[in-house]
Amino acid sequence: MKVLIVGGGGREHSLAWMMNQAPKVEKVFCAPGNAGTAIEGENVDIDVEDIDGLVEFGKKEGIGLTVVGPEVPLTMGIVDAFEAAGLRIFGASKKAAEIEGSKVFTKRLMAKYNVPTGFFEVFNSPDDARAYIKEVGAPIVVKADGLAAGKGVIVCQTVEEADEAVHIIMEEKRFGDAGDTVVIEEFLTGEEASFLAFSDGKNVLPLATSQDHKPIFDDDKGPNTGGMGAYSPAPVVTKEIFDQVMEEVMIRTVNAMASEGRPYKGVLYAGLMIEDGKARVLEFNARYGDPEAQPLLVRVDGDIVEVMEAVVDERLDEITLNWHDSPSICVVMASEGYPGSYETGKVITGIDEADAMDGVKVFHAGTALKDGKIVTAGGRVLGVTALGDDIPDAIERAYRACDVIKWDGAYYRRDIGAKAMKFLK
Ligand code: AMP
Ligand code: GLY
């Protein structure tokens, strides 16, 4: 079977690498891919938003399964378009992807079906939004309703900051139409974790737990990024919390989506805030996390293609998914200046040496091939991923691998995994 992966980040390289190992996969295509996916198979120069072009490619090549990485093509309806063309595709339909595409939809869904989350109100007018902020006070969180490349969430410590956030989103329209409507919601405290589960619309099969590190600097300082590193499992998700999340969040939400006529097929990602032994939902994503996919996929002990096909065919109840006991960690190496502006085209050395280290796999994100050399081509450049005997061992292996990878302006956090260590003491 030929498979197509839509996207070009670290998540997509880890999917390409994993799917390449599946017995029935003959060839992996990635659109548009990066220098790493080119090693696993073949890159196709089609943009993730060019849905007609992707459908045409799928038909021409006889692609047996397409897997979608990023949220934008999902919310645009890539899954519906492939299905209409008779092509098999793993991912949420346009109606199901609303769970990531509209924060208003999702907060209302959670309220209606009693999925634990913070209090909130929805506003179309800046004046009404400000009146509410004045009433409830700070800290408070202001969110643009629509997709804003992960930037439409403003955590405000004071009422003044929240007023300014309303201005940025609703009046200045920094995120365009995504800011026509805002959600103002309770500021939740605690520790964050990522909880991903496969769903075929009815059945829910959880993945292992994981935790991202969103801010750019150590100790979670500085502006948020797409994610600077992740590890799995996340010990903050105890057995009790795992059970609570399965029942009150994942199964409840999948059932809610079915009741609303939006059956959820694909991978559902809940961003959780955990405090006092209970998890509440910050947001949902309609896809694999990036970088969470990297440490999760290296721990899969089995055939991920079989699982994804069972989702597409709505027979997930027949599947069990095993995990290696070894914990894993992924350290994201980024371009200096990210998440602000940065330079590209820097020659990267040491990837092969790092990749050859015991337990290490280097996934490419923003990389490209230029004159036979691998060069930087994005903000997040590599996801240096390692399995270890235990968490400290995995951390040590990943950082030893980072040490041998060099380019002019390479930056990475030094504390990925540190949050897990406190549970080991
Ligand atoms: P999101 O793009 O919705 O994942 O939000 C980005 C980050 O903002 C999250 O990872 C949290 O760190 C933070 N955040 C979002 N919503 C809240 C909230 N209600 N309370 C506290 N922090 C939040
Ligand atoms: N790692 C966060 C995300 O994928 O949205």
Side-chain angles (χ1 to χ4, degrees):
M1 180 170 73
K2 294 180 189 172
V3 299
L4 170 65
I5 296 164
V6 177
R11 165 182 54 205
E12 287 77 18
H13 186 196
S14 65
L15 280 165
W17 172 80
M18 194 69 203
M19 290 175 79
N20 221 357
Q21 296 172 36
K24 70 193 288 189
V25 170
E26 309 155 35
K27 180 155 186 184
V28 177
F29 292 95
C30 198
N34 56 39
T37 59
I39 298 165
E40 308 300 335
E42 190 179 322
N43 287 348
V44 189
D45 190 17
I46 306 176
D47 191 81
V48 300
E49 294 182 30
D50 179 5
I51 293 177
D52 291 343
L54 291 165
V55 167
E56 202 176 303
F57 177 80
K59 283 202 278 198
K60 188 186 82 192
E61 278 295 337
I63 299 291
L65 180 68
T66 297
V67 178
V68 186
E71 62 277 15
V72 170
L74 292 168
T75 56
M76 287 172 69
I78 190 172
V79 168
D80 312 66
F82 269 67
E83 285 176 351
L87 292 166
R88 283 155 61 77
I89 183 164
F90 173 91
S93 68
K94 185 175 164 109
K95 276 168 94 178
E98 274 288 281
I99 205 160
E100 175 162 7
S102 168
K103 296 195 189 293
V104 172
F105 166 78
T106 304
K107 288 295 272 190
R108 288 186 172 147
L109 183 88
M110 288 193 278
K112 180 170 172 187
Y113 291 91
N114 201 21
V115 174
T117 189
F119 68 73
F120 72 102
E121 286 291 339
V122 174
F123 298 96
N124 299 309
S125 123
D127 288 346
D128 294 348
R130 290 201 176 92
Y132 180 70
I133 290 166
K134 204 166 159 201
E135 181 190 323
V136 294
I140 192 88
V141 182
V142 183
K143 296 186 175 180
D145 173 39
L147 287 183
K151 298 192 181 95
V153 171
I154 307 184
V155 176
C156 309
Q157 294 304 328
T158 64
V159 168
E160 291 70 35
E161 278 175 45
D163 284 348
E164 177 62 17
V166 169
H167 174 70
I168 289 168
I169 296 173
M170 302 192 86
E171 291 165 345
E172 189 188 308
K173 293 267 182 197
R174 194 175 291 176
F175 313 112
D177 296 346
D180 287 349
T181 308
V182 290
V183 174
I184 304 211
E185 69 178 43
E186 182 179 354
F187 171 75
L188 301 180
T189 54
E191 187 163 340
E192 285 185 51
S194 304
F195 197 107
L196 284 75
F198 292 107
S199 170
D200 62 1
K202 302 182 291 284
N203 304 290
V204 181
L205 179 68
L207 281 82
T209 58
S210 57
Q211 190 177 58
D212 189 10
H213 296 67
K214 286 214 171 87
I216 183 76
F217 301 127
D218 285 12
D219 296 324
D220 289 340
K221 300 270 173 21
N224 270 347
T225 68
M228 292 303 293
Y231 60 87
S232 171
V236 65
V237 184
T238 58
K239 169 81 174 68
E240 290 70 29
I241 292 172
F242 189 97
D243 292 344
Q244 179 228 332
V245 173
M246 275 301 283
E247 184 192 325
E248 296 179 7
V249 177
M250 307 313 282
I251 295 173
R252 208 171 275 178
T253 300
V254 164
N255 289 339
M257 292 295 277
S259 303
E260 295 290 313
R262 300 169 186 262
Y264 193 94
K265 286 173 70 173
V267 60
L268 179 63
Y269 162 154
L272 304 173
M273 187 69 95
I274 298 166
E275 190 175 42
D276 299 333
K278 197 166 157 55
R280 288 194 284 173
V281 177
L282 291 173
E283 59 155 2
F284 281 109
N285 296 320
R287 51 176 174 78
Y288 289 100
D290 186 348
E292 290 94 326
Q294 292 87 309
L296 283 170
L297 290 174
V298 297
R299 291 190 62 221
V300 169
D301 181 12
D303 183 347
I304 198 76
V305 172
E306 219 170 68
V307 181
M308 291 197 281
E309 289 201 291
V311 167
V312 174
D313 299 336
E314 301 177 16
R315 47 175 182 77
L316 195 55
D317 49 330
E318 294 169 14
I319 297 286
T320 49
L321 181 57
N322 295 318
W323 297 86
H324 294 295
D325 288 334
S326 316
S328 58
I329 154 176
C330 168
V331 178
V332 171
M333 297 184 74
S335 298
E336 189 175 17
Y338 173 78
S341 58
Y342 51 82
E343 290 175 21
T344 58
K346 310 283 184 193
V347 174
I348 310 170
T349 59
I351 293 179
D352 288 345
E353 191 187 336
D355 231 359
M357 292 177 164
D358 208 20
V360 173
K361 177 71 204 160
V362 180
F363 293 116
H364 292 234
T367 65
L369 262 179
K370 198 176 161 203
D371 305 328
K373 294 197 170 88
I374 295 171
V375 298
T376 63
R380 293 191 293 171
V381 176
L382 298 171
V384 180
T385 307
L387 282 160
D389 297 334
D390 50 25
I391 289 170
D393 186 43
I395 293 174
E396 203 186 307
R397 286 177 194 221
Y399 278 105
R400 243 190 280 138
C402 290
D403 281 344
V404 304
I405 298 175
K406 312 267 182 221
W407 73 85
D408 176 24
Y411 166 79
Y412 50 98
R413 275 179 65 158
R414 302 280 166 172
D415 67 340
I416 304 301
K419 276 190 220 162
M421 298 289 285
K422 68 177 182 287
F423 292 91
L424 306 179
K425 284 173 192 152

